Amino acid sequence: MAVDPLIELDGVNKWYHDLHVLRDIDLTVGRGEVIVVIGPSGSGKSTLCRTINRLETVQSGTIRLDGQPLPEEGRALARLRADVGMVFQSFNLFAHKTVLENVALAPVKVRRRGREDAERRALALLDRVGLASQAPKYPAQLSGGQQQRVAIARALAMDPKVLLFDEPTSALDPEMINEVLEVMRQLARDGMTMVVVTHEMGFARASADRVVFMADGRIVEDRTPEEFFTNPRSDRARDFLSKILEH
């Protein structure tokens, strides 16, 4: 059990019609923990990630953030989403707004910050992800790796309690992956609570506090990276690792 639980999933089940995609999920993420979720495709990793900010609803079980059950809808849900930052596979930036405007927008609209204050903070966050010089550009003028770093800055601009990453590097060319992972590694070192769905085993090994291995909608293993990678307990995990680490 995590010392200071920030996210708690208890007996969570999710179906898409006849497909049982999450099966009795129990998971606790402590404040400041980095949890990396891995597993074969179709194992429920992204769905798990998306239930935490209610982009996906669940049929049974409870999900709590900071001790509070996830709200159903309306204003309370908007507040929850402000506390849970999300970085997607596709960058989802506003094409018609500059990089600076993309990062400053939500704090003004949702957190009701003054524009000047929001832009000053946005610039500081862009600096943190190594992109202060790109602030006046539009997303189309940036590489995929740069766009994803802008998306991370945008998520941070809301001062979230936790950041969710849903395969943040899978749409990127290989040479851009590392620049995004480096930002994520730094966030991990800074103590940001993170739930990361990824295929990047190096990141899982180096930056995760725990590796959660999923298969067929279940959590099969939940262990430290050291334990998981050197001595997986389940046949499913051994099989997965042998395939993925041969490459």
Side-chain angles (χ1 to χ4, degrees), residues 3 13 63 65 83 133 144 222 230-231:
V3 191
N13 283 277
I63 301 175
L65 177 73
D83 285 338
S133 62
D222 178 349
T230 53
N231 187 22

Coordinates of all heavy atoms in Angstrom, one line a residue, residues 3 13 63 65 83 133 144 222 230-231:
V3 N 2.2 4.9 0.8 CA 2.1 5.7 2.0 C 1.0 6.8 2.0 O 0.2 6.9 2.9 CB 3.5 6.4 2.3 CG1 3.6 7.0 3.7 CG2 4.7 5.4 2.0
N13 N -14.1 -2.5 -13.1 CA -14.4 -3.3 -14.3 C -14.9 -2.4 -15.4 O -15.7 -1.5 -15.1 CB -15.5 -4.3 -14.0 CG -14.9 -5.5 -13.2 OD1 -14.4 -6.4 -13.8 ND2 -15.0 -5.5 -11.9
I63 N -13.1 4.6 -8.2 CA -11.8 5.3 -8.5 C -11.8 6.5 -7.6 O -12.8 7.3 -7.7 CB -11.6 5.6 -9.9 CG1 -11.7 4.4 -10.8 CG2 -10.3 6.3 -10.2 CD1 -11.7 4.6 -12.3
L65 N -9.5 10.0 -6.3 CA -8.4 10.9 -6.5 C -8.3 11.7 -5.3 O -9.2 12.5 -4.9 CB -8.6 11.8 -7.8 CG -7.4 12.8 -8.0 CD1 -6.2 12.1 -8.5 CD2 -7.8 13.9 -8.9
D83 N -7.1 18.8 -12.4 CA -6.1 18.3 -11.4 C -5.3 17.1 -12.0 O -4.4 16.6 -11.4 CB -6.8 17.8 -10.1 CG -7.2 19.0 -9.3 OD1 -6.6 20.1 -9.4 OD2 -8.1 18.8 -8.4
S133 N 12.3 29.2 -26.9 CA 12.6 30.0 -28.2 C 11.5 29.7 -29.2 O 11.4 30.4 -30.2 CB 13.9 29.6 -28.8 OG 13.9 28.2 -29.1
G144 N 7.6 16.6 -34.3 CA 6.7 15.8 -33.5 C 7.2 15.8 -32.0 O 6.4 16.0 -31.1
D222 N 2.8 -6.3 -10.3 CA 3.0 -4.9 -9.8 C 4.2 -4.9 -8.9 O 4.0 -5.2 -7.7 CB 1.7 -4.5 -9.1 CG 1.8 -3.0 -8.5 OD1 2.9 -2.5 -8.5 OD2 0.7 -2.5 -8.1
T230 N 14.3 -8.5 -13.8 CA 15.3 -9.5 -13.6 C 14.6 -10.9 -13.3 O 15.1 -11.9 -13.6 CB 16.3 -9.2 -12.5 OG1 15.5 -8.8 -11.3 CG2 17.2 -8.0 -12.9
N231 N 13.4 -10.8 -12.7 CA 12.8 -12.0 -12.3 C 11.3 -12.0 -12.3 O 10.6 -12.0 -11.3 CB 13.2 -12.3 -10.8 CG 12.8 -13.7 -10.3 OD1 12.5 -14.5 -11.1 ND2 12.7 -13.8 -9.0

